[in-house]
């Protein structure tokens, strides 16, 4: 069963082809797109296999768990692999024209696929130490991407970005050491089994806190979020969109995986903490976004705010709550990436991201207004878009579980999100253009098909998730039930022989 390894091997093979043909610069975007399309087709195939056959496991080198490196594909990881494939294809197409030839000549496309390899590796690994390795692969690739071009603002943002992420990595490594010293294993399934029968598993909380802080930094959760808005607006918008869609979500994925699989012994401590942290993350992110006038900064603070909804679902810790977190994560990856890509189109037309210096776009590019409305109103939770159903599932789960405070907070934050999206709409599209500005000073207002196509594609997905919510929610429910009932996961990884010992 080599299938779980292919999401890592496909980006690696793409990198090899990109490097072999590096002197043929005109081939680079096409090789990148081909690799991304193959990754997306593979992700669809894996999703179908997992749906019909259950959890897929690969014991590399034929070393059985918990002694060897194990790769696991369950419903949750297969959903995330599919989303990564969608974003990979969208960014590859958008980058044809959005990334200048100079940046492409400094290994832009190999670094993008290096980042995707790290992201996919984090989704399929069944071992904590290898999760750490894949986080470091992502960090190296993302650091190169965020500094690509060497502009002063990029370097300032990169210093904050890499410093906090290195702190996160150190905490992650410390947590690994403590956990291994206490349990003698780092295999996730083996940890779940051993901690479920341990007498003093409350002592594992020391490791759990280290992992929580590490993942909170990587996810930009309150109060560890300040590195994100200081860095995400500095690189070209295609890179920012890639980061916004995937990087913080890997941290959320790891948090959900850890705190549903094996850190489940002290629910009276962890679940209220997740709810409080989720609430503060929502509120701080959305209120700070409301005061900004740079589109990229507004959208960056909304990344933080919307992470809070996912943490809220984990804190509710019911099948509906976790399913809502998964559904909302899927919606947010698509819609958030798309809003940044639309911001890039606006900048292409106007030459600016500053809302105070642009306006009147509705008269000049009315179809661009439609492309913006779909993901922006999706993030705000306007029906029948996907964000409405994501918030509805989470808030309904909150009320059903008796978590009224966080549910009302989620409702209020949705209104403030709508305020920010309407603010962008009003300033960029509706208000009169400032007298001294030229709406066509950026690239003469030309919008290449390669930049418009992924925006339309992601917008269509946002609409589809809203109109076809039931089958998507059913798969999210399957993933949630697997997470909250880890018995099949443990059996699939360890096997009956190990469990009977």
């Amino acid at each position: 069963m080599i299938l779980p390894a292919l999401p890592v091997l496909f980006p690696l093979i793409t990198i090899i082809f990109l490097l072999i043909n590096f002197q043929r610069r005109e081939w680079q975007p096409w090789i990148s797109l081909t690799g991304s399309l193959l990754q997306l087709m593979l992700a669809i195939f894996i999703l179908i296999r997992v749906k019909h056959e259950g959890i897929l496991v690969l014991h590399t080198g034929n070393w059985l768990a918990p002694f060897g490196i194990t790769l696991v594909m369950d419903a949750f990881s297969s959903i995330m692999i599919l989303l990564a494939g969608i974003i990979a294809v969208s960014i590859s197409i958008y980058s044809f024209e959005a990334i200048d030839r100079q940046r492409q000549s400094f290994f832009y496309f190999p670094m993008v696929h290096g980042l995707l390899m790290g992201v996919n590796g984090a989704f399929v690994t069944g071992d904590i130490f290898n999760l750490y390795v894949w986080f470091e692969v992502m960090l190296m690739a993302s650091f190169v991407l965020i500094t690509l071009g060497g502009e002063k603002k990029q370097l300032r943002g990169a210093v904050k970005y890499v410093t906090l992420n290195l702190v996160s990595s150190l905490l992650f490594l410390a947590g690994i050491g403590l956990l291994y010293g206490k349990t003698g294993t780092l295999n996730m399934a083996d940890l779940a089994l051993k901690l479920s029968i341990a007498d003093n598993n409350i002592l594992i909380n020391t490791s759990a806190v280290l992992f929580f802080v590490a993942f909170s930094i990587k996810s930009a959760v309150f109060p560890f979020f300040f590195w994100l808005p200081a860095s995400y607006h500095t690189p070209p918008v295609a890179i920012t969109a890639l980061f916004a869609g995937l990087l913080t979500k890997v941290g959320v994925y790891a948090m959900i995986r850890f705190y549903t699989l094996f850190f489940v012994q002290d629910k009276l401590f962890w679940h209220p903490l997740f709810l409080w942290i989720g609430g503060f993350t929502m509120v701080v992110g959305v209120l700070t976004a409301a005061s900004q006038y740079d589109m990229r900064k507004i959208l960056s603070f909304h990344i933080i705010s919307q992470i809070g909804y996912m943490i809220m679902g984990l804190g509710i810790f019911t099948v509906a709550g976790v399913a809502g977190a998964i559904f909302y994560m899927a919606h947010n990856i698509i819609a958030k990436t798309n809003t940044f890509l639309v911001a890039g189109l606006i900048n292409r037309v106007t030459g600016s991201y500053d809302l105070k210096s642009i306006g009147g776009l509705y008269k000049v590019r009315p179809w661009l207004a439609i492309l913006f409305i779909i993901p922006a109103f999706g993030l705000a939770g306007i029906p029948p878009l996907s964000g409405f159903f994501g918030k509805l599932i989470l808030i309904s789960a909150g009320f059903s579980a008796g978590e009224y405070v966080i549910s009302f907070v989620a409702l209020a934050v949705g209104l403030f999100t709508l305020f920010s999206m309407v603010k962008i709409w009003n300033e960029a599209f509706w208000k009169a253009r400032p007298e001294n500005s030229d709406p066509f000073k950026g690239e003469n207002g030309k919008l290449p098909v390669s930049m418009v196509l992924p925006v339309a594609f992601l917008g269509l997905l946002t609409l589809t998730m809203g109109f076809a919510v039931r089958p998507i929610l059913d798969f999210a429910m399957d993933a949630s039930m697997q997470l909250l009932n880890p018995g099949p996961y443990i059996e699939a990884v360890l096997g009956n022989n190990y469990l009977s010992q």
Side-chain angles (χ1 to χ4, degrees):
M1 179 62 71
I2 195 175
L3 201 57
L6 294 183
V8 177
L9 292 177
F10 273 30
L12 178 60
I13 294 169
T14 304
I15 293 171
I16 292 171
F17 273 97
L18 285 166
L19 295 178
I20 290 173
N21 296 281
F22 190 68
Q23 297 304 319
R24 299 179 174 90
R25 300 293 166 78
E26 69 279 4
W27 291 16
Q28 295 284 297
W30 293 103
I31 295 172
S32 174
L33 178 57
T34 302
S36 299
L37 287 169
L38 290 173
Q39 180 181 326
L40 178 57
M41 289 188 287
L42 171 68
I44 295 170
F45 179 70
I46 288 174
L47 191 77
I48 295 171
R49 286 286 297 272
V50 169
K51 178 69 174 177
H52 291 95
E53 299 180 19
I55 300 170
L56 308 176
V57 180
L58 170 64
H59 302 289
T60 59
N62 211 25
W63 284 85
L64 298 181
F67 308 106
I69 296 173
T70 305
L71 303 178
V72 188
M73 297 292 304
D74 62 357
F76 189 24
S77 56
S78 62
I79 290 172
M80 299 306 292
I81 290 290
L82 176 62
L83 293 167
I86 291 170
I87 300 305
V89 171
S90 301
I91 297 300
S92 292
I93 298 173
Y94 196 86
S95 298
F96 270 66
E97 293 290 337
I99 300 297
D100 59 80
R101 294 295 178 262
Q102 183 181 5
R103 283 187 170 88
Q104 290 186 20
S105 68
F106 283 99
F107 301 95
Y108 168 75
F109 287 110
M111 287 299 106
V112 167
H113 286 274
L115 180 66
L116 291 169
M117 182 173 67
V119 168
N120 289 347
F123 292 152
V124 302
T125 186
D127 178 273
I128 294 179
F129 184 77
N130 284 286
L131 178 62
Y132 167 79
V133 171
W134 292 121
F135 268 121
E136 295 310 293
V137 170
M138 287 191 298
L139 179 60
M140 288 187 290
S142 60
F143 180 69
V144 174
L145 288 170
I146 204 171
T147 57
L148 209 59
E151 297 177 9
K152 187 176 180 180
K153 64 177 183 177
Q154 288 181 259
L155 297 177
R156 284 201 304 263
V159 169
K160 299 171 186 176
Y161 171 80
V162 78
T163 300
L164 267 294
N165 276 277
L166 284 175
V167 171
S168 171
S169 297
L170 289 173
L171 293 172
F172 194 173
L173 200 57
I176 289 173
L178 283 174
L179 192 59
Y180 185 75
K182 294 170 183 174
T183 63
T185 184
L186 292 176
N187 181 279
M188 294 183 190
D190 198 30
L191 276 169
L193 180 64
K194 288 185 176 180
L195 294 180
S196 67
I197 59 176
D199 294 329
N200 296 318
N201 51 32
I202 193 70
L203 298 176
I204 300 298
N205 265 355
T206 52
S207 299
V209 168
L210 288 172
F211 286 119
F212 171 74
V213 176
F215 295 149
S216 294
I217 293 173
K218 292 188 181 295
S219 306
V221 168
F222 177 88
F224 309 105
F225 61 86
F226 49 86
W227 61 268
L228 189 152
S231 58
Y232 268 28
H233 69 285
T234 58
V237 73
I239 297 174
T240 303
L242 177 63
F243 287 8
L246 292 179
L247 285 192
T248 52
K249 309 312 182 295
V250 180
V252 176
Y253 168 87
M255 196 177 292
I256 293 175
R257 178 71 72 186
F258 277 43
Y259 292 89
T260 57
L261 184 57
F262 46 86
F263 288 146
V264 295
Q265 290 74 31
D266 194 3
K267 297 179 181 179
L268 293 177
F269 173 75
W270 285 108
H271 295 175
L273 177 64
F274 286 134
L275 292 174
W276 279 99
I277 293 295
F280 277 116
T281 302
M282 288 185 217
V283 172
V284 171
V286 78
L287 291 181
T288 313
S291 65
Q292 304 296 318
Y293 273 86
D294 184 297
M295 282 185 289
R296 293 171 300 176
K297 287 189 176 182
I298 293 173
L299 297 174
S300 293
F301 278 108
H302 276 295
I303 296 173
I304 299 164
S305 175
Q306 285 139 18
I307 293 294
Y309 284 93
M310 305 166 205
I311 305 302
M312 169 189 170
L314 177 59
I316 294 171
F317 210 77
T318 62
V319 171
V322 176
I326 294 170
F327 185 95
Y328 193 84
M329 195 187 309
H331 140 75
N332 188 258
I333 287 172
I334 293 170
K336 179 57 66 177
T337 302
N338 203 11
T339 51
F340 275 102
L341 298 184
V342 175
L345 294 180
I346 294 173
N347 178 67
R348 188 85 172 191
V349 174
T350 66
S352 177
Y353 291 103
D354 185 3
L355 293 175
K356 293 181 179 179
S357 61
I358 61 178
L361 279 174
Y362 182 77
K363 295 180 180 178
V364 180
R365 294 284 191 277
W367 55 267
L368 184 56
I370 297 173
L371 291 177
F372 170 77
I373 282 175
I374 294 172
F377 280 19
L379 291 175
I382 301 299
L385 301 171
S386 57
F388 168 77
F389 293 102
K391 292 180 180 180
L392 177 64
I393 296 162
L394 284 168
I395 292 169
S396 297
F399 280 120
S400 298
E403 303 293 351
Y404 301 111
V405 175
I406 190 66
S407 300
F408 282 116
V409 168
L411 283 170
V413 167
L415 293 176
F416 279 101
T417 304
L418 178 61
F419 168 79
S420 291
M421 297 302 111
V422 171
K423 176 182 177 178
I424 296 176
W425 162 265
N426 182 62
E427 294 289 329
F429 294 95
W430 198 249
K431 81 166 195 270
R433 178 167 56 91
E435 294 180 1
N436 297 325
S437 65
D438 180 2
F440 297 102
K441 63 185 177 182
E443 296 291 335
N444 295 321
K446 295 178 181 178
L447 291 177
V449 175
S450 63
M451 293 179 68
V452 177
L453 185 61
V455 171
F457 170 61
L458 294 176
L460 183 61
L461 287 179
T462 298
L463 289 171
T464 302
M465 288 185 67
F467 287 106
V469 64
R470 188 67 206 181
I472 301 170
L473 178 58
D474 286 344
F475 206 87
M477 292 291 285
D478 291 343
S480 177
M481 287 187 283
Q482 283 185 0
L483 288 168
L484 296 181
N485 178 30
Y489 180 97
I490 297 170
E491 183 177 347
V493 173
L494 300 179
N496 292 324
N497 291 335
Y498 183 83
L499 294 175
S500 62
Q501 294 178 6

